[in-house]
Amino acid sequence: MASFFYNLLPLLLLSLILMSSSIHGEDRLGEYCNKATNLTAAQKPSIDRVLSALVAQTPGNGYAVSSFGSGEGRIYGLGQCRGDVAGADCSACISDAAKQLPALCAAESDARIWFDYCFLRYGPEEFVGKLDTGFGIFYWNVENATDPENFENKLGVLMGEVREQGTSSRSRGLGKGETEFTPFVTIYALVQCTRDLQRLQCAQCLATAVSNFPNFCKYKKGCRVLYSSCYVRYEIYPFFFPLNNSSKEMVGSSEMAVLHP
C-alpha cells in the first residue's frame, strides 16, 4: 500500500501544479515570431529595456508604449491589457508575457504574444499608430449553435453594438455587451483595439476580424479573432468582467487556425 501511494505522489503533485496554474495564470493564446527579422547583439539590450518599461507602466492604465536604443539597435514596444481586467491581473499577465516572449522568439527582433488578459509586442520598426491585420489567430468552438440562422442574426446585431461602442471616443477601444438568444442562452461579445489606433483604424480592424467569421466561425457557439491591432470574441457564457458568480464557463472543444501575411 505504501508503495502505491509513493508511486501516486508524482501524479498528485502534477495535478496540484496544474490546478495552481489554471487558478493563478492564463495559458498563452499564441505568438508570432517574424522569421524575416534577425535579432542582433545591439537589439537584445534594447528589448530588455523596452520590456522592463512595459511591465512597469502597462498596469497603471492598461496600456503603454516604449522605445529604446538608436540606429540598428532601436526597438519599439507596446503592451495592453483587456479593458475590463483588474490592475493586479493586468500586471501578472504582462509580466508573464515579458518573460515568455523573448524565449519563444529568441532569434527574432519582431515578436508578439497574446494572452486572454493582455497583448505584448516589440519590433525594430515603428508600428505604433499603424493598423496591423497581417497576422491573425482564430479560435472557434467546434459545436454549432441551435437554430443557427437566428443565432447569426442575434450575433450580428450584438456585434454591431459592441463595435460601435469600441470605436467611440470615450471607450479606449473597448466594447462589450450581451443579448438574449433564448430564455436559457445568452450571447456575450467583446471587442478591443489597441489604443494607439485612430477611430477609423479601429473600425477597419474590427471589420476585418468580423469579416472572417463566415470563414472560421459560421454558426459556431464561440469564436475569437486575434490581430496585432484588435481582438474580437463572442461566447454563450460570460467571459468578461464583472462576471456573474452563478455562471460557469462551458468552454467545450475548440479548433484553431493561423493566417500569415
Side-chain angles (χ1 to χ4, degrees):
M1 183 65 71
S3 175
F4 171 77
F5 283 112
Y6 179 81
N7 292 330
L8 189 61
L9 183 59
L11 294 177
L12 293 174
L13 291 174
L14 177 60
S15 297
L16 289 173
I17 291 170
L18 292 174
M19 287 173 64
S20 175
S21 175
S22 66
I23 292 171
H24 297 291
E26 291 280 334
D27 290 334
R28 70 180 186 273
L29 298 174
E31 70 281 336
Y32 173 56
C33 308
N34 187 347
K35 301 301 181 183
T37 63
N38 296 316
L39 180 63
T40 67
Q43 291 170 331
K44 192 177 186 312
S46 297
I47 290 174
D48 293 339
R49 292 290 294 269
V50 164
L51 290 177
S52 294
L54 294 178
V55 168
Q57 298 170 14
T58 304
N61 68 355
Y63 168 77
V65 294
S66 179
S67 63
F68 190 82
S70 60
E72 294 182 358
R74 190 161 185 82
I75 291 292
Y76 302 86
L78 179 151
Q80 180 164 309
C81 291
R82 222 175 63 193
D84 61 313
V85 171
D89 290 329
C90 174
S91 179
C93 188
I94 288 292
S95 294
D96 284 346
K99 290 174 184 175
Q100 293 188 33
L101 189 54
L104 290 167
C105 302
E108 295 82 22
S109 60
D110 178 9
R112 306 139 200 213
I113 190 168
W114 290 261
F115 287 76
D116 195 15
Y117 287 178
C118 68
F119 168 71
L120 179 71
R121 72 178 292 187
Y122 56 78
E125 301 295 332
E126 187 171 6
F127 57 80
V128 177
K130 299 177 181 178
L131 174 63
D132 187 347
T133 55
F135 176 85
I137 300 174
F138 302 82
Y139 285 93
W140 61 91
N141 193 309
V142 297
E143 295 183 0
N144 287 339
T146 57
D147 191 4
E149 295 294 343
N150 189 32
F151 184 88
E152 290 288 294
N153 291 335
K154 292 275 190 177
L155 175 63
V157 172
L158 177 59
M159 273 296 168
E161 293 172 353
V162 296
R163 285 167 61 186
E164 183 176 358
Q165 183 186 147
T167 55
S168 70
S169 58
R170 294 177 295 179
S171 71
R172 292 186 167 188
L174 176 69
K176 59 179 183 174
E178 60 187 77
T179 189
E180 183 182 281
F181 174 49
T182 73
F184 306 102
V185 178
T186 299
I187 306 173
Y188 301 84
L190 181 146
V191 303
Q192 180 163 318
C193 294
T194 53
R195 281 157 54 182
D196 59 313
L197 297 187
Q198 299 294 322
R199 291 175 63 187
L200 179 58
Q201 293 173 307
C202 177
Q204 290 173 332
C205 190
L206 297 177
T208 300
V210 173
S211 71
N212 277 296
F213 279 6
N215 299 325
F216 299 100
C217 312
K218 190 173 181 64
Y219 302 147
K220 300 303 181 183
K221 290 181 176 180
C223 181
R224 293 189 225 191
V225 181
L226 301 93
Y227 285 127
S228 297
S229 290
C230 66
Y231 171 92
V232 174
R233 183 181 182 185
Y234 74 84
E235 306 286 356
I236 59 169
Y237 56 83
F239 63 91
F240 51 75
F241 298 104
L243 287 173
N244 181 344
N245 291 330
S246 64
S247 301
K248 296 181 180 179
E249 281 201 8
M250 299 174 291
V251 179
S253 299
S254 63
E255 293 185 351
M256 174 188 175
V258 175
L259 294 185
H260 285 272

